[in-house]
Amino acid sequence: MAYTIDRYPCEDSPRLGAMTLHPTPESVPRARRWFRKFIAPYNPACSVEDCVLMISELVTNAIRYGQADEPWQVRVEWFREETSLRVEVHNPGFPANVRLRRPDANDAHGRGLLLVDSIAESWHSGPSRFGGTVVSFVVADAWPS
């Protein structure tokens, strides 16, 4: 199986959904497609396309930089926190390796977190509760208060 989707989170949880993806390039468009589909019923007021762009960048980074000795997966979860949307991307990598870069104009890579930093209200990286690394972003005013 290449993926799993959690469409029915617990009612008492702020989590709206989650997906688990294999660390392959095909998982990036899947993550975009599934997020659009599964966030739609919640009618967010924020730009879903901005969220999709940030998810795409973080899933790409998770696939590119994730490391494990055994087969591994990328996990994406999204949460409603009052009026904000928080999205987390987990992978088995080292938290110390996540950093905001300032690439030169000719650099082919290194702009993913720069995009997230410019669009999101905030972003964070650190140890994942699943082991490895989590990179998350928050979009303020995703829902009316």
mmCIF file of all heavy atoms in Angstrom, residues 28-67:
data_model
loop_
_atom_site.group_PDB
_atom_site.id
_atom_site.type_symbol
_atom_site.label_atom_id
_atom_site.label_comp_id
_atom_site.label_asym_id
_atom_site.label_seq_id
_atom_site.Cartn_x
_atom_site.Cartn_y
_atom_site.Cartn_z
ATOM 1 N N VAL A 28 4.058 13.579 -3.403
ATOM 2 C CA VAL A 28 3.867 15.037 -3.315
ATOM 3 C C VAL A 28 2.542 15.446 -3.946
ATOM 4 O O VAL A 28 1.727 16.109 -3.294
ATOM 5 C CB VAL A 28 5.078 15.788 -3.898
ATOM 6 C CG1 VAL A 28 4.833 17.293 -3.878
ATOM 7 C CG2 VAL A 28 6.352 15.438 -3.129
ATOM 8 N N PRO A 29 2.240 15.069 -5.201
ATOM 9 C CA PRO A 29 0.924 15.437 -5.739
ATOM 10 C C PRO A 29 -0.233 14.750 -5.001
ATOM 11 O O PRO A 29 -1.318 15.324 -4.887
ATOM 12 C CB PRO A 29 0.982 15.024 -7.206
ATOM 13 C CG PRO A 29 2.130 14.110 -7.344
ATOM 14 C CD PRO A 29 3.076 14.436 -6.213
ATOM 15 N N ARG A 30 -0.014 13.550 -4.478
ATOM 16 C CA ARG A 30 -1.051 12.890 -3.671
ATOM 17 C C ARG A 30 -1.381 13.721 -2.436
ATOM 18 O O ARG A 30 -2.538 13.906 -2.085
ATOM 19 C CB ARG A 30 -0.603 11.500 -3.231
ATOM 20 C CG ARG A 30 -0.716 10.462 -4.281
ATOM 21 C CD ARG A 30 -0.403 9.090 -3.716
ATOM 22 N NE ARG A 30 -0.426 8.135 -4.792
ATOM 23 C CZ ARG A 30 0.556 7.301 -5.069
ATOM 24 N NH1 ARG A 30 1.638 7.269 -4.325
ATOM 25 N NH2 ARG A 30 0.451 6.480 -6.084
ATOM 26 N N ALA A 31 -0.352 14.203 -1.762
ATOM 27 C CA ALA A 31 -0.565 15.016 -0.559
ATOM 28 C C ALA A 31 -1.365 16.267 -0.907
ATOM 29 O O ALA A 31 -2.285 16.646 -0.171
ATOM 30 C CB ALA A 31 0.776 15.387 0.074
ATOM 31 N N ARG A 32 -1.047 16.906 -2.016
ATOM 32 C CA ARG A 32 -1.789 18.105 -2.432
ATOM 33 C C ARG A 32 -3.249 17.765 -2.695
ATOM 34 O O ARG A 32 -4.158 18.440 -2.211
ATOM 35 C CB ARG A 32 -1.167 18.709 -3.694
ATOM 36 C CG ARG A 32 0.178 19.329 -3.487
ATOM 37 C CD ARG A 32 0.627 20.124 -4.699
ATOM 38 N NE ARG A 32 0.784 19.328 -5.888
ATOM 39 C CZ ARG A 32 1.953 18.977 -6.415
ATOM 40 N NH1 ARG A 32 3.089 19.332 -5.839
ATOM 41 N NH2 ARG A 32 2.007 18.261 -7.522
ATOM 42 N N ARG A 33 -3.453 16.717 -3.473
ATOM 43 C CA ARG A 33 -4.811 16.303 -3.855
ATOM 44 C C ARG A 33 -5.644 15.939 -2.627
ATOM 45 O O ARG A 33 -6.780 16.365 -2.483
ATOM 46 C CB ARG A 33 -4.696 15.105 -4.811
ATOM 47 C CG ARG A 33 -5.763 14.973 -5.811
ATOM 48 C CD ARG A 33 -5.499 13.903 -6.876
ATOM 49 N NE ARG A 33 -4.741 12.734 -6.468
ATOM 50 C CZ ARG A 33 -3.501 12.455 -6.899
ATOM 51 N NH1 ARG A 33 -2.878 13.252 -7.737
ATOM 52 N NH2 ARG A 33 -2.892 11.360 -6.493
ATOM 53 N N TRP A 34 -5.094 15.121 -1.745
ATOM 54 C CA TRP A 34 -5.841 14.654 -0.576
ATOM 55 C C TRP A 34 -6.135 15.772 0.403
ATOM 56 O O TRP A 34 -7.202 15.819 0.986
ATOM 57 C CB TRP A 34 -5.097 13.533 0.112
ATOM 58 C CG TRP A 34 -5.051 12.289 -0.699
ATOM 59 C CD1 TRP A 34 -5.896 11.912 -1.713
ATOM 60 C CD2 TRP A 34 -4.099 11.258 -0.581
ATOM 61 N NE1 TRP A 34 -5.514 10.705 -2.215
ATOM 62 C CE2 TRP A 34 -4.411 10.276 -1.543
ATOM 63 C CE3 TRP A 34 -3.002 11.063 0.243
ATOM 64 C CZ2 TRP A 34 -3.666 9.119 -1.683
ATOM 65 C CZ3 TRP A 34 -2.261 9.909 0.101
ATOM 66 C CH2 TRP A 34 -2.600 8.948 -0.857
ATOM 67 N N PHE A 35 -5.166 16.668 0.595
ATOM 68 C CA PHE A 35 -5.435 17.775 1.510
ATOM 69 C C PHE A 35 -6.605 18.606 0.988
ATOM 70 O O PHE A 35 -7.509 18.942 1.743
ATOM 71 C CB PHE A 35 -4.200 18.650 1.722
ATOM 72 C CG PHE A 35 -4.474 19.789 2.645
ATOM 73 C CD1 PHE A 35 -4.515 19.592 4.018
ATOM 74 C CD2 PHE A 35 -4.726 21.060 2.145
ATOM 75 C CE1 PHE A 35 -4.795 20.648 4.877
ATOM 76 C CE2 PHE A 35 -5.008 22.114 2.995
ATOM 77 C CZ PHE A 35 -5.042 21.911 4.361
ATOM 78 N N ARG A 36 -6.590 18.944 -0.299
ATOM 79 C CA ARG A 36 -7.707 19.708 -0.881
ATOM 80 C C ARG A 36 -9.040 19.003 -0.637
ATOM 81 O O ARG A 36 -10.020 19.625 -0.245
ATOM 82 C CB ARG A 36 -7.519 19.871 -2.384
ATOM 83 C CG ARG A 36 -6.600 20.951 -2.811
ATOM 84 C CD ARG A 36 -6.632 21.104 -4.332
ATOM 85 N NE ARG A 36 -5.557 21.936 -4.775
ATOM 86 C CZ ARG A 36 -4.460 21.496 -5.386
ATOM 87 N NH1 ARG A 36 -4.301 20.202 -5.638
ATOM 88 N NH2 ARG A 36 -3.531 22.336 -5.764
ATOM 89 N N LYS A 37 -9.039 17.698 -0.879
ATOM 90 C CA LYS A 37 -10.276 16.929 -0.759
ATOM 91 C C LYS A 37 -10.767 16.858 0.687
ATOM 92 O O LYS A 37 -11.955 17.054 0.948
ATOM 93 C CB LYS A 37 -10.059 15.511 -1.296
ATOM 94 C CG LYS A 37 -11.277 14.638 -1.196
ATOM 95 C CD LYS A 37 -11.046 13.274 -1.804
ATOM 96 C CE LYS A 37 -12.289 12.433 -1.702
ATOM 97 N NZ LYS A 37 -12.155 11.158 -2.384
ATOM 98 N N PHE A 38 -9.876 16.604 1.624
ATOM 99 C CA PHE A 38 -10.305 16.347 2.989
ATOM 100 C C PHE A 38 -10.424 17.595 3.854
ATOM 101 O O PHE A 38 -11.043 17.552 4.908
ATOM 102 C CB PHE A 38 -9.412 15.297 3.639
ATOM 103 C CG PHE A 38 -9.594 13.966 2.981
ATOM 104 C CD1 PHE A 38 -8.556 13.377 2.288
ATOM 105 C CD2 PHE A 38 -10.816 13.321 3.010
ATOM 106 C CE1 PHE A 38 -8.735 12.151 1.651
ATOM 107 C CE2 PHE A 38 -11.008 12.103 2.375
ATOM 108 C CZ PHE A 38 -9.961 11.517 1.695
ATOM 109 N N ILE A 39 -9.887 18.731 3.406
ATOM 110 C CA ILE A 39 -10.086 19.976 4.164
ATOM 111 C C ILE A 39 -11.366 20.677 3.689
ATOM 112 O O ILE A 39 -11.965 21.438 4.439
ATOM 113 C CB ILE A 39 -8.858 20.915 4.060
ATOM 114 C CG1 ILE A 39 -8.869 21.971 5.170
ATOM 115 C CG2 ILE A 39 -8.800 21.609 2.704
ATOM 116 C CD1 ILE A 39 -8.642 21.454 6.539
ATOM 117 N N ALA A 40 -11.808 20.401 2.476
ATOM 118 C CA ALA A 40 -12.974 21.090 1.902
ATOM 119 C C ALA A 40 -14.219 21.038 2.786
ATOM 120 O O ALA A 40 -14.882 22.070 2.955
ATOM 121 C CB ALA A 40 -13.272 20.548 0.515
ATOM 122 N N PRO A 41 -14.604 19.906 3.382
ATOM 123 C CA PRO A 41 -15.808 19.886 4.216
ATOM 124 C C PRO A 41 -15.747 20.809 5.436
ATOM 125 O O PRO A 41 -16.772 21.170 5.992
ATOM 126 C CB PRO A 41 -15.925 18.424 4.667
ATOM 127 C CG PRO A 41 -15.119 17.651 3.695
ATOM 128 C CD PRO A 41 -14.035 18.560 3.231
ATOM 129 N N TYR A 42 -14.537 21.207 5.833
ATOM 130 C CA TYR A 42 -14.394 22.090 6.993
ATOM 131 C C TYR A 42 -14.517 23.571 6.626
ATOM 132 O O TYR A 42 -14.474 24.430 7.490
ATOM 133 C CB TYR A 42 -13.060 21.819 7.699
ATOM 134 C CG TYR A 42 -12.980 20.422 8.241
ATOM 135 C CD1 TYR A 42 -12.256 19.438 7.588
ATOM 136 C CD2 TYR A 42 -13.662 20.075 9.403
ATOM 137 C CE1 TYR A 42 -12.196 18.139 8.086
ATOM 138 C CE2 TYR A 42 -13.605 18.780 9.907
ATOM 139 C CZ TYR A 42 -12.876 17.822 9.239
ATOM 140 O OH TYR A 42 -12.812 16.545 9.727
ATOM 141 N N ASN A 43 -14.648 23.864 5.325
ATOM 142 C CA ASN A 43 -14.831 25.225 4.821
ATOM 143 C C ASN A 43 -13.855 26.245 5.402
ATOM 144 O O ASN A 43 -14.265 27.242 5.998
ATOM 145 C CB ASN A 43 -16.273 25.694 5.077
ATOM 146 C CG ASN A 43 -17.272 24.862 4.338
ATOM 147 O OD1 ASN A 43 -17.076 24.545 3.170
ATOM 148 N ND2 ASN A 43 -18.338 24.478 5.014
ATOM 149 N N PRO A 44 -12.566 26.045 5.219
ATOM 150 C CA PRO A 44 -11.626 27.023 5.764
ATOM 151 C C PRO A 44 -11.738 28.358 5.026
ATOM 152 O O PRO A 44 -12.037 28.401 3.827
ATOM 153 C CB PRO A 44 -10.264 26.377 5.526
ATOM 154 C CG PRO A 44 -10.473 25.455 4.378
ATOM 155 C CD PRO A 44 -11.891 24.963 4.500
ATOM 156 N N ALA A 45 -11.502 29.433 5.756
ATOM 157 C CA ALA A 45 -11.539 30.770 5.175
ATOM 158 C C ALA A 45 -10.180 31.176 4.612
ATOM 159 O O ALA A 45 -10.076 32.158 3.901
ATOM 160 C CB ALA A 45 -11.991 31.777 6.229
ATOM 161 N N CYS A 46 -9.149 30.412 4.934
ATOM 162 C CA CYS A 46 -7.807 30.722 4.442
ATOM 163 C C CYS A 46 -7.651 30.204 3.011
ATOM 164 O O CYS A 46 -8.497 29.479 2.495
ATOM 165 C CB CYS A 46 -6.760 30.092 5.346
ATOM 166 S SG CYS A 46 -6.833 28.294 5.426
ATOM 167 N N SER A 47 -6.555 30.562 2.394
ATOM 168 C CA SER A 47 -6.259 30.088 1.049
ATOM 169 C C SER A 47 -5.812 28.621 1.105
ATOM 170 O O SER A 47 -4.723 28.316 1.603
ATOM 171 C CB SER A 47 -5.153 30.933 0.416
ATOM 172 O OG SER A 47 -4.685 30.316 -0.763
ATOM 173 N N VAL A 48 -6.646 27.743 0.601
ATOM 174 C CA VAL A 48 -6.288 26.325 0.545
ATOM 175 C C VAL A 48 -5.082 26.144 -0.375
ATOM 176 O O VAL A 48 -4.200 25.322 -0.108
ATOM 177 C CB VAL A 48 -7.496 25.478 0.096
ATOM 178 C CG1 VAL A 48 -7.086 24.042 -0.175
ATOM 179 C CG2 VAL A 48 -8.602 25.535 1.150
ATOM 180 N N GLU A 49 -5.011 26.936 -1.434
ATOM 181 C CA GLU A 49 -3.877 26.815 -2.364
ATOM 182 C C GLU A 49 -2.552 27.190 -1.692
ATOM 183 O O GLU A 49 -1.529 26.566 -1.961
ATOM 184 C CB GLU A 49 -4.114 27.644 -3.621
ATOM 185 C CG GLU A 49 -5.219 27.080 -4.496
ATOM 186 C CD GLU A 49 -5.046 25.596 -4.818
ATOM 187 O OE1 GLU A 49 -3.959 25.197 -5.284
ATOM 188 O OE2 GLU A 49 -6.004 24.832 -4.595
ATOM 189 N N ASP A 50 -2.564 28.191 -0.806
ATOM 190 C CA ASP A 50 -1.350 28.506 -0.046
ATOM 191 C C ASP A 50 -0.963 27.333 0.849
ATOM 192 O O ASP A 50 0.211 26.970 0.941
ATOM 193 C CB ASP A 50 -1.546 29.754 0.814
ATOM 194 C CG ASP A 50 -1.462 31.048 0.026
ATOM 195 O OD1 ASP A 50 -1.120 31.011 -1.178
ATOM 196 O OD2 ASP A 50 -1.745 32.110 0.622
ATOM 197 N N CYS A 51 -1.945 26.734 1.488
ATOM 198 C CA CYS A 51 -1.682 25.562 2.342
ATOM 199 C C CYS A 51 -1.131 24.411 1.513
ATOM 200 O O CYS A 51 -0.181 23.737 1.933
ATOM 201 C CB CYS A 51 -2.949 25.130 3.069
ATOM 202 S SG CYS A 51 -3.542 26.334 4.265
ATOM 203 N N VAL A 52 -1.701 24.176 0.355
ATOM 204 C CA VAL A 52 -1.254 23.102 -0.528
ATOM 205 C C VAL A 52 0.191 23.337 -0.956
ATOM 206 O O VAL A 52 1.002 22.405 -0.992
ATOM 207 C CB VAL A 52 -2.208 22.978 -1.745
ATOM 208 C CG1 VAL A 52 -1.610 22.138 -2.840
ATOM 209 C CG2 VAL A 52 -3.548 22.420 -1.303
ATOM 210 N N LEU A 53 0.533 24.577 -1.274
ATOM 211 C CA LEU A 53 1.912 24.900 -1.649
ATOM 212 C C LEU A 53 2.864 24.593 -0.497
ATOM 213 O O LEU A 53 3.908 23.957 -0.697
ATOM 214 C CB LEU A 53 2.021 26.374 -2.049
ATOM 215 C CG LEU A 53 3.437 26.884 -2.321
ATOM 216 C CD1 LEU A 53 4.083 26.136 -3.478
ATOM 217 C CD2 LEU A 53 3.402 28.384 -2.587
ATOM 218 N N MET A 54 2.500 24.999 0.710
ATOM 219 C CA MET A 54 3.381 24.747 1.849
ATOM 220 C C MET A 54 3.496 23.260 2.157
ATOM 221 O O MET A 54 4.591 22.763 2.459
ATOM 222 C CB MET A 54 2.893 25.535 3.067
ATOM 223 C CG MET A 54 3.047 27.038 2.887
ATOM 224 S SD MET A 54 2.667 28.002 4.367
ATOM 225 C CE MET A 54 0.881 27.913 4.403
ATOM 226 N N ILE A 55 2.387 22.533 2.064
ATOM 227 C CA ILE A 55 2.427 21.077 2.267
ATOM 228 C C ILE A 55 3.326 20.432 1.228
ATOM 229 O O ILE A 55 4.144 19.565 1.543
ATOM 230 C CB ILE A 55 1.009 20.479 2.227
ATOM 231 C CG1 ILE A 55 0.242 20.886 3.490
ATOM 232 C CG2 ILE A 55 1.051 18.956 2.063
ATOM 233 C CD1 ILE A 55 -1.240 20.582 3.440
ATOM 234 N N SER A 56 3.192 20.854 -0.014
ATOM 235 C CA SER A 56 4.018 20.320 -1.088
ATOM 236 C C SER A 56 5.505 20.514 -0.790
ATOM 237 O O SER A 56 6.311 19.585 -0.945
ATOM 238 C CB SER A 56 3.640 21.024 -2.400
ATOM 239 O OG SER A 56 4.398 20.542 -3.464
ATOM 240 N N GLU A 57 5.860 21.700 -0.332
ATOM 241 C CA GLU A 57 7.267 21.976 -0.011
ATOM 242 C C GLU A 57 7.755 21.123 1.157
ATOM 243 O O GLU A 57 8.851 20.570 1.113
ATOM 244 C CB GLU A 57 7.449 23.464 0.302
ATOM 245 C CG GLU A 57 7.233 24.380 -0.885
ATOM 246 C CD GLU A 57 8.214 24.162 -2.025
ATOM 247 O OE1 GLU A 57 9.357 23.708 -1.774
ATOM 248 O OE2 GLU A 57 7.846 24.437 -3.175
ATOM 249 N N LEU A 58 6.932 21.012 2.201
ATOM 250 C CA LEU A 58 7.367 20.246 3.377
ATOM 251 C C LEU A 58 7.412 18.747 3.111
ATOM 252 O O LEU A 58 8.303 18.054 3.609
ATOM 253 C CB LEU A 58 6.480 20.563 4.577
ATOM 254 C CG LEU A 58 6.560 21.999 5.097
ATOM 255 C CD1 LEU A 58 5.724 22.146 6.362
ATOM 256 C CD2 LEU A 58 8.000 22.441 5.341
ATOM 257 N N VAL A 59 6.475 18.223 2.332
ATOM 258 C CA VAL A 59 6.517 16.796 1.979
ATOM 259 C C VAL A 59 7.731 16.521 1.094
ATOM 260 O O VAL A 59 8.430 15.520 1.278
ATOM 261 C CB VAL A 59 5.195 16.343 1.316
ATOM 262 C CG1 VAL A 59 5.332 14.950 0.712
ATOM 263 C CG2 VAL A 59 4.059 16.378 2.331
ATOM 264 N N THR A 60 8.012 17.416 0.163
ATOM 265 C CA THR A 60 9.208 17.263 -0.674
ATOM 266 C C THR A 60 10.459 17.220 0.192
ATOM 267 O O THR A 60 11.320 16.350 0.020
ATOM 268 C CB THR A 60 9.303 18.412 -1.694
ATOM 269 O OG1 THR A 60 8.170 18.364 -2.558
ATOM 270 C CG2 THR A 60 10.576 18.316 -2.521
ATOM 271 N N ASN A 61 10.558 18.142 1.149
ATOM 272 C CA ASN A 61 11.722 18.152 2.048
ATOM 273 C C ASN A 61 11.782 16.887 2.895
ATOM 274 O O ASN A 61 12.860 16.330 3.105
ATOM 275 C CB ASN A 61 11.689 19.378 2.956
ATOM 276 C CG ASN A 61 12.060 20.651 2.234
ATOM 277 O OD1 ASN A 61 12.491 20.627 1.082
ATOM 278 N ND2 ASN A 61 11.872 21.775 2.894
ATOM 279 N N ALA A 62 10.637 16.425 3.390
ATOM 280 C CA ALA A 62 10.603 15.211 4.209
ATOM 281 C C ALA A 62 11.102 14.011 3.412
ATOM 282 O O ALA A 62 11.864 13.182 3.929
ATOM 283 C CB ALA A 62 9.190 14.967 4.731
ATOM 284 N N ILE A 63 10.686 13.920 2.158
ATOM 285 C CA ILE A 63 11.125 12.816 1.296
ATOM 286 C C ILE A 63 12.614 12.943 0.999
ATOM 287 O O ILE A 63 13.364 11.973 1.054
ATOM 288 C CB ILE A 63 10.297 12.779 0.001
ATOM 289 C CG1 ILE A 63 8.856 12.371 0.313
ATOM 290 C CG2 ILE A 63 10.925 11.850 -1.031
ATOM 291 C CD1 ILE A 63 7.886 12.585 -0.827
ATOM 292 N N ARG A 64 13.036 14.148 0.713
ATOM 293 C CA ARG A 64 14.428 14.392 0.332
ATOM 294 C C ARG A 64 15.402 14.162 1.487
ATOM 295 O O ARG A 64 16.494 13.629 1.303
ATOM 296 C CB ARG A 64 14.560 15.813 -0.196
ATOM 297 C CG ARG A 64 15.920 16.154 -0.674
ATOM 298 C CD ARG A 64 15.954 17.580 -1.212
ATOM 299 N NE ARG A 64 17.169 17.723 -1.942
ATOM 300 C CZ ARG A 64 17.264 17.949 -3.237
ATOM 301 N NH1 ARG A 64 16.176 18.106 -3.934
ATOM 302 N NH2 ARG A 64 18.418 18.034 -3.826
ATOM 303 N N TYR A 65 15.018 14.584 2.701
ATOM 304 C CA TYR A 65 15.958 14.574 3.817
ATOM 305 C C TYR A 65 15.670 13.519 4.881
ATOM 306 O O TYR A 65 16.462 13.348 5.798
ATOM 307 C CB TYR A 65 16.014 15.955 4.466
ATOM 308 C CG TYR A 65 16.471 17.013 3.490
ATOM 309 C CD1 TYR A 65 15.599 18.005 3.064
ATOM 310 C CD2 TYR A 65 17.756 16.997 2.964
ATOM 311 C CE1 TYR A 65 16.004 18.967 2.148
ATOM 312 C CE2 TYR A 65 18.171 17.946 2.044
ATOM 313 C CZ TYR A 65 17.291 18.934 1.641
ATOM 314 O OH TYR A 65 17.692 19.874 0.734
ATOM 315 N N GLY A 66 14.540 12.826 4.791
ATOM 316 C CA GLY A 66 14.238 11.778 5.755
ATOM 317 C C GLY A 66 15.238 10.643 5.638
ATOM 318 O O GLY A 66 15.715 10.329 4.552
ATOM 319 N N GLN A 67 15.552 10.031 6.770
ATOM 320 C CA GLN A 67 16.523 8.936 6.785
ATOM 321 C C GLN A 67 16.112 7.903 7.813
ATOM 322 O O GLN A 67 15.694 8.258 8.910
ATOM 323 C CB GLN A 67 17.907 9.458 7.167
ATOM 324 C CG GLN A 67 18.460 10.485 6.234
ATOM 325 C CD GLN A 67 19.771 11.047 6.753
ATOM 326 O OE1 GLN A 67 20.346 10.558 7.723
ATOM 327 N NE2 GLN A 67 20.256 12.079 6.104
#
